[in-house]
Amino acid sequence: MKYLIVLLTFLMGLGIFAQKRPVLIPMPHALEWRTGQFELDKKTSLFYEEELEKEAQYLANILNQATAFGLKVLDKIEEGENQIVLKIDPAIEENKEAYQLNVSMEKVVLTGASATGVFRGIQTLLQLFPPSIYGNESSEEIWKIPVVDIADSPKFQWRGMLLDCSRHFMKKDFVKRYLDLLAYHKMNTLHWHITEDQGWRMEIKKYPKLTEVGAWRTEKDGSRYGGFYSQEDIKEIVQYAADRHINVVPEIELPGHSQAALAAYPEYSCTGGPFEVETEWGVFREIYCAGNDGTFEFLENILTEVIELFPSPYIHIGGDEVPKYRWEQCDKCQKRIEKENLQDTHELQSYFIKRIENFLTSKNKQLIGWDEILEGGLAEGAIVQSWRGMNGAVEAVKSGHPAIVSPTSHAYFDYDLKSIDLEKVYSFDPIPKDIDEKQKALIWGGECNMWSERAPQELVDSKVFPRILAMTEVLWSYPMVRDYEQFYQRVQRHYPRLKTMGVSYGFETMPVHLEHYFQPDGNAEIRLNAGTPELKLCYTLDGSTPNEESILYRIPIEPKDSCQLKVQAYKEGKTYGEVFEQVYEPHQVLGKQPDLLTTYSNHYTGGGDKALVNGLRGSTDFRDGNWQGYQYDDLVTIFDLRDQNITFSEVSVGFYQYNNSWIFLPTALIIEVSQDGKTFKELANIPNDISPKQRGKFLHQLQATFPKQSANYLKVTAKNIQHCPDWHEAAGSKAWLFVDEILEVIKITTQKHIEKVCL
Ligand SMILES: [Zn+2]
């Protein structure tokens, strides 16, 4: 027997039994598993200290729904066994969200530094039970949890999710359901985005047209879309959140993203309108007039009602993506610039924000804005939310302002898994580099942002989950050493919980990651890496839809000619994710090192210097990794062909247009050749004949043909349109040029090009 115990202890030390233990997400700060179990049964009593009545009721509701035990809930703690005890001890830690959870075979004692700490601890306690604890299938079985000691508190005080209920309206019960899901995972902030160009969602008594007009849009097919939250709905949501120790921060966008409000009250714009509630996605030039005092009165009246409804100490005012076009043209705005001694429209924006901040401060509220509020000077007490990378946060904390981080690189959950997968979120470090200890303390925390342009309510789950599990662990636990593999295993075991919670979670990662190499002989090689080790990849090269009978990927693919690769991943016999597609087109300068005379954006590299000659074509998703982006600048590149005895009579270049995202086709493609690399002769100057006004996302190839050439140097120039044109919503903003490939081909098609077989 003694040996058996020694053996058992040894095996447990090895973690043989570890998988029997519940998985906890986010991981607590300190925990020690012990032997034995606590059993919850009909006779278990729930005791609580007086001020914890709500928390006790919350826990009892969940336990009773799952177990049907009808636990006794008592507000006077008595000595005894078979108890769950909730209490407060402010001495356990300074952090009010801290708690200690001690489970013995006799009782469960949960001690919080405050009621909030107790509430966070309740979530850990629930995770110790089987997943069915979140369900409502009443069962008489005995509910067991392991004996354990946990001491826990969060690393960051601000752990939030932004929910955009403006682009797509989400029902009140859906918002409440998200408050539950946030609570289960110890998040404490709902950043509620309720005004936008495409819809104003909050009832304002003083301005009824905001919802009568501003909450509804006429879609292209003529249908009406919209909805709003009445003030009663808002009270209900705010209370529901408060019961879960979640703060709701409303975001009232100004001075931009305000077209829905201006559709209702055009007198507060620069031109007087009229406007429609917007139906496209993007950034729009109709913004509040900064020269009209009536605008400020209007906004202050709105904010007065907002402040009455939201107890949050913070009010988010947006402040992002403000095209200055209207202000440049507006007499009133120009007069304001003159009168207030401002340099330009950037300082006018700063004036706008500061004036709103003064008002909020007078009401004891603190202003939060996106990092654009730094431009032209930051308002005195403002908090900056950094989204365009981490620089906004760095600048804010260096000037003594608090910052919240939610960079597009890690925190934008509307982005697909190609850009941000579970592992990427898990690798997120909310603390920027190069700041000192004092400045680090000003990083309050982070958020994941669920923008809803492409996500109506029914798609939100699959975008938020499982990625939010990584975010909650980053913000609560802040693992210094990120062991993704171990976290991934816990996520797998967390899925049954999500299922019981009714979450339609999505995938962890793209099923396929493509890697591209040039072998020493110049031939290309495509490697497919499965997103997770257990995936099986099947592919075709002729563009047909792959199935489990298609070629099983084992060794790298060496395409000799154009092909359309399609890959389907399988997990345990079921398809995992959508079909991955990649068009591959070899050509004469394939793999040639280009001499790039202009600089591509480090956000859109397309894969680096050789991106334009790697054979990999871009898709209509401009974030697919194959597109190289140039903001304002032209693309100018030279190829040194001296070591290649090639002749060519055609150069084609692939471009992309999606003017909602400020991406335009070039105005022209110019092809030049040279023998000495200094003097160039123009072979072709091809104007683009597709209007920059054309909406939607599409690819377009510009093709230059000329008499057969043999040259030492080839120069390719694509002219950037430079600014969004006057008719554009973001008129005057720097435009993007997106390029995927420069194809240099021999006009006379050789046998090699006729063959369609790739292998
Ligand atoms: Zn104006």
Side-chain angles (χ1 to χ4, degrees):
M1 187 62 190
K2 193 179 155 195
Y3 289 107
L4 184 61
I5 290 169
V6 170
L7 180 65
L8 279 175
T9 315
F10 177 69
L11 288 175
M12 285 164 90
L14 281 178
I16 299 290
F17 292 143
Q19 65 209 65
K20 294 273 180 203
R21 286 175 186 149
V23 293
L24 301 173
I25 295 178
M27 195 62 160
H29 183 65
L31 102 170
E32 203 157 337
W33 299 107
R34 304 188 190 283
T35 48
Q37 288 173 318
F38 172 83
E39 292 182 6
L40 180 83
D41 57 31
K42 279 181 200 161
K43 290 178 186 154
T44 306
S45 310
L46 174 57
F47 290 96
Y48 64 92
E49 283 180 351
E50 217 172 329
E51 58 267 54
L52 294 172
E53 189 184 347
K54 278 192 166 174
E55 289 69 29
Q57 216 52 61
Y58 171 90
L59 175 60
N61 285 345
I62 294 177
L63 296 180
N64 285 335
Q65 205 162 34
T67 65
F69 286 157
L71 300 180
K72 267 188 287 175
V73 184
L74 305 155
D75 67 355
K76 266 211 175 63
I77 297 175
E78 288 167 22
E79 279 306 311
E81 293 193 352
N82 199 0
Q83 299 180 339
I84 298 174
V85 180
L86 308 182
K87 54 184 192 176
I88 292 179
D89 179 1
I92 63 166
E93 208 180 307
E94 230 173 271
N95 191 326
K96 75 180 180 69
E97 293 188 279
Y99 69 92
Q100 285 176 4
L101 177 60
N102 304 97
V103 180
S104 66
M105 287 170 73
E106 293 76 36
K107 61 167 83 175
V108 174
V109 180
L110 171 57
T111 315
S114 71
T116 307
V118 171
F119 188 83
R120 304 288 175 245
I122 285 172
Q123 306 309 328
T124 306
L125 174 59
L126 291 172
Q127 288 192 3
L128 296 176
F129 282 98
S132 46
I133 202 72
Y134 298 95
N136 49 15
E137 285 170 27
S138 305
S139 138
E140 289 283 329
E141 67 181 290
I142 299 171
W143 297 76
K144 293 176 185 175
I145 60 172
V147 170
V148 67
D149 288 312
I150 293 173
D152 198 11
S153 65
K155 168 74 181 176
F156 292 100
Q157 59 174 293
W158 191 290
R159 305 179 307 280
M161 179 175 102
L162 175 148
L163 189 61
D164 173 5
C165 294
S166 294
R167 266 60 171 256
H168 278 103
F169 178 66
M170 301 183 194
K171 293 202 170 84
K172 180 179 71 182
D173 285 344
F174 182 83
V175 177
K176 286 164 76 177
R177 174 174 170 268
Y178 257 84
L179 289 166
D180 277 323
L181 293 172
L182 292 176
Y184 292 152
H185 297 95
K186 299 191 177 76
M187 298 292 254
N188 66 5
T189 304
L190 173 68
H191 173 170
W192 201 18
H193 189 81
I194 46 175
T195 74
E196 253 308 331
D197 297 308
Q198 297 86 0
W200 182 283
R201 304 280 173 232
M202 175 185 176
E203 178 192 19
I204 300 291
K205 303 268 192 208
K206 197 165 182 126
Y207 301 109
K209 280 191 285 179
L210 281 173
T211 43
E212 285 166 18
V213 175
W216 304 92
R217 61 181 185 242
T218 306
E219 302 284 26
K220 285 195 194 74
D221 63 2
S223 63
R224 296 280 281 165
Y225 179 91
F228 66 91
Y229 306 99
S230 70
Q231 296 209 348
E232 286 309 307
D233 291 337
I234 289 172
K235 280 181 201 159
E236 191 181 323
I237 286 170
V238 166
Q239 186 57 51
Y240 197 81
D243 291 345
R244 283 151 187 77
H245 297 267
I246 292 173
N247 185 36
V248 183
V249 179
E251 182 178 354
I252 307 297
E253 278 269 19
L254 55 91
H257 287 288
S258 46
Q259 198 172 311
L262 293 175
Y265 295 93
E267 57 268 41
Y268 304 118
S269 71
C270 287
T271 64
F275 314 110
E276 300 269 306
V277 176
E278 187 54 59
T279 56
E280 294 280 350
W281 313 126
V283 173
F284 303 94
R285 63 182 166 181
E286 306 306 343
I287 63 176
Y288 293 119
C289 178
N292 179 357
D293 281 326
T295 303
F296 292 94
E297 199 187 315
F298 174 68
L299 290 170
E300 286 172 8
N301 287 334
I302 290 171
L303 288 170
T304 300
E305 293 192 32
V306 170
I307 288 164
E308 276 166 21
L309 288 170
F310 291 92
S312 167
Y314 318 102
I315 305 289
H316 205 302
I317 55 79
D320 58 315
E321 299 181 322
V322 185
K324 307 297 189 299
Y325 183 81
R326 288 297 186 209
W327 288 358
E328 300 282 0
Q329 318 277 324
C330 171
D331 288 344
K332 278 180 278 186
C333 286
Q334 289 304 318
K335 239 179 228 149
R336 175 85 73 196
I337 289 177
E338 206 178 306
K339 198 175 137 224
E340 298 291 333
N341 244 325
L342 306 172
Q343 288 295 315
D344 52 21
T345 48
H346 289 286
E347 289 198 1
L348 183 58
Q349 161 146 355
S350 176
Y351 164 86
F352 200 111
I353 303 290
K354 282 174 181 163
R355 195 158 157 178
I356 295 294
E357 203 233 354
N358 282 340
F359 174 76
L360 290 176
T361 308
S362 76
K363 303 277 180 187
N364 281 321
K365 298 284 181 183
Q366 210 173 347
L367 176 146
I368 310 178
W370 299 105
D371 54 45
E372 283 95 332
I373 66 168
L374 287 154
E375 293 162 12
L378 189 56
E380 201 180 301
I383 302 163
V384 172
Q385 181 162 9
S386 200
W387 72 282
R388 297 173 301 176
M390 300 288 271
N391 291 345
V394 173
E395 201 182 317
V397 301
K398 286 198 169 167
S399 58
H401 290 259
I404 296 154
V405 290
S406 57
T408 51
S409 55
H410 294 80
Y412 270 48
F413 286 7
D414 55 322
Y415 288 14
D416 63 24
L417 294 169
K418 264 179 236 141
S419 321
I420 301 175
D421 65 8
L422 184 67
E423 186 168 8
K424 182 89 182 269
V425 180
Y426 198 67
S427 73
F428 178 44
D429 189 346
I431 304 281
K433 288 176 187 67
D434 307 324
I435 58 171
D436 64 27
E437 288 306 313
K438 213 172 128 195
Q439 291 158 355
K440 279 180 191 169
L442 286 170
I443 302 290
W444 280 5
E447 288 182 3
C448 44
N449 294 350
M450 185 56 234
W451 299 107
S452 66
E453 285 95 330
R454 282 150 209 95
Q457 183 177 303
E458 57 274 19
L459 286 183
V460 170
D461 274 16
S462 65
K463 289 185 169 282
V464 171
F465 287 92
R467 290 186 283 192
I468 199 172
L469 302 178
M471 188 58 90
T472 186
E473 186 144 315
V474 163
L475 294 173
W476 178 281
S477 318
Y478 192 61
M480 297 294 274
V481 180
R482 317 270 159 134
D483 185 344
Y484 178 70
E485 193 45 45
Q486 190 257 37
F487 171 73
Y488 177 81
Q489 293 309 329
R490 274 187 290 133
V491 169
Q492 302 311 302
R493 295 190 49 218
H494 193 73
Y495 284 145
R497 274 176 205 284
L498 294 181
K499 263 187 197 146
T500 324
M501 293 169 189
V503 176
S504 311
Y505 53 89
F507 299 102
E508 296 105 2
T509 184
M510 284 297 290
V512 186
H513 298 272
L514 181 142
E515 275 184 282
H516 179 265
Y517 293 94
F518 289 108
Q519 294 164 337
D521 62 6
N523 282 333
E525 180 179 298
I526 292 173
R527 293 183 198 169
L528 303 178
N529 297 319
T532 63
E534 67 274 23
L535 294 182
K536 189 174 107 174
L537 305 178
C538 298
Y539 70 94
T540 61
L541 290 164
D542 58 4
S544 63
T545 307
N547 55 43
E548 274 196 287
E549 308 294 300
S550 307
I551 312 167
L552 177 66
Y553 178 79
R554 291 176 206 275
I555 53 165
I557 304 165
E558 293 179 30
K560 297 281 185 282
D561 210 334
S562 310
C563 61
Q564 195 182 354
L565 171 68
K566 287 191 177 181
V567 190
Q568 175 69 62
Y570 293 89
K571 184 177 181 177
E572 291 154 5
K574 283 186 196 144
T575 58
Y576 183 95
E578 290 168 8
V579 173
F580 172 89
E581 291 187 48
Q582 178 64 59
V583 173
Y584 178 78
E585 238 173 302
H587 48 84
Q588 291 202 84
V589 287
L590 192 71
K592 193 90 198 147
Q593 183 68 45
D595 182 10
L596 291 161
L597 303 187
T598 48
T599 314
Y600 54 83
S601 155
N602 51 21
H603 295 292
Y604 301 100
T605 66
D609 287 354
K610 283 191 180 182
L612 303 184
V613 287
N614 64 3
L616 301 177
R617 304 307 307 268
S619 68
T620 51
D621 173 8
F622 67 86
R623 292 196 189 91
D624 69 8
N626 291 321
W627 290 101
Q628 197 166 74
Y630 293 79
Q631 194 171 21
Y632 182 79
D633 293 330
D634 298 335
L635 157 73
V636 187
T637 183
I638 295 176
F639 294 96
D640 180 344
L641 305 175
R642 280 175 300 172
D643 61 344
Q644 258 171 316
N645 186 21
I646 56 171
T647 55
F648 51 93
S649 59
E650 180 186 325
V651 173
S652 299
V653 183
F655 299 101
Y656 182 87
Q657 181 159 302
Y658 181 44
N659 59 22
N660 288 37
S661 288
W662 312 1
I663 306 168
F664 295 88
L665 297 174
T667 55
L669 171 68
I670 302 162
I671 306 298
E672 296 162 277
V673 286
S674 169
Q675 296 306 332
D676 60 5
K678 290 178 193 127
T679 328
F680 281 86
K681 180 179 84 174
E682 186 174 290
L683 285 182
N685 186 332
I686 311 292
N688 163 38
D689 52 0
I690 293 183
S691 168
K693 286 189 178 176
Q694 192 163 319
R695 291 285 175 184
K697 302 172 178 181
F698 60 93
L699 315 178
H700 184 60
Q701 196 152 301
L702 284 181
Q703 190 181 45
T705 50
F706 34 78
K708 209 154 114 184
Q709 297 288 321
S710 173
N712 284 337
Y713 298 92
L714 167 71
K715 186 175 179 184
V716 177
T717 304
K719 301 296 266 182
N720 193 317
I721 194 169
Q722 295 189 326
H723 292 110
C724 297
D726 280 354
W727 52 264
H728 191 268
E729 310 79 49
S733 301
K734 284 180 182 173
W736 287 92
L737 171 72
F738 270 47
V739 195
D740 69 335
E741 194 76 9
I742 295 171
L743 302 134
E744 183 204 22
V745 291
I746 307 168
K747 186 72 183 170
I748 308 147
T749 312
T750 63
Q751 188 61 32
K752 195 178 126 192
H753 284 86
I754 293 168
E755 285 172 20
K756 282 286 164 212
V757 185
C758 291
L759 278 172

